[in-house]
């Protein structure tokens, strides 16, 4: 039986994160199969077939740039902008709010007397 050796990142990666990474790969496969062959996709994304196939498997070792090129080839590059939208980061927004000064005093006006 043939076993693929896991990369170091895969060895320490939690199972729920592995599943989360596999989902975009599955979604890319589904989107591609609607109207493109693997050969057409690799040509449009300007990547080799051995580079592309792990994308559809959700391989965590595939670079972010490759995923970006694949999304571009599918006409979905705009989705990258929403990947980590800071306006939706509730924890970050709460932390920023906590850092704001509690009270702001207006500057004192001079009385005009020297």
């Amino acid at each position: 039986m043939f076993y693929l050796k896991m990369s170091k990142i895969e060895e320490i990666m939690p199972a729920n994160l592995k599943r989360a990474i596999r989902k975009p790969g599955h979604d890319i496969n589904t989107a591609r199969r609607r109207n493109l062959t693997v050969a057409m996709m690799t040509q449009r994304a300007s990547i080799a077939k051995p580079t592309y196939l792990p994308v559809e498997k959700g391989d965590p070792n595939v670079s972010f740039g490759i995923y970006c090129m694949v999304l571009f080839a599918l006409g979905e590059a705009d989705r990258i902008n929403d990947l980590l939208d800071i306006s939706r980061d509730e924890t970050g927004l709460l932390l920023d709010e906590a850092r704001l000064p509690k009270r702001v005093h207006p500057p004192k006006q001079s009385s005009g007397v020297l």
Side-chain angles (χ1 to χ4, degrees):
M1 192 170 251
F2 179 72
Y3 292 100
L4 290 175
K5 186 174 187 251
M6 279 197 285
S7 67
K8 289 186 180 190
I9 192 72
E10 288 176 287
E11 290 175 7
I12 62 170
M13 189 176 288
N16 61 341
L17 185 54
K18 286 180 188 178
R19 283 190 300 276
I21 292 173
R22 278 190 219 112
K23 184 184 181 321
H26 175 75
D27 293 346
I28 287 168
N29 174 274
T30 301
R32 185 216 22 106
R33 290 176 57 199
R34 288 184 185 130
N35 61 356
L36 298 171
T37 65
V38 170
M40 292 165 67
M41 175 59 88
T42 58
Q43 182 179 16
R44 288 183 180 194
S46 300
I47 57 177
K49 184 177 178 180
T51 302
Y52 176 73
L53 293 177
V55 169
E56 289 194 359
K57 293 178 179 159
D59 185 336
N61 297 301
V62 175
S63 77
F64 181 68
I66 297 297
Y67 278 104
C68 291
M69 288 301 295
V70 169
L71 290 173
F72 174 77
L74 290 170
E76 298 290 341
D78 290 342
R79 292 181 180 244
I80 298 164
N81 295 327
D82 298 328
L83 189 61
L84 188 58
D85 185 356
I86 60 170
S87 68
R88 296 184 193 172
D89 179 11
E90 293 178 21
T91 303
L93 293 171
L94 289 172
L95 289 170
D96 286 345
E97 187 177 314
R99 287 187 207 118
L100 291 174
K102 299 298 180 213
R103 191 185 320 177
V104 177
H105 297 284
K108 293 183 180 181
Q109 294 185 355
S110 62
S111 61
V113 179
L114 292 177

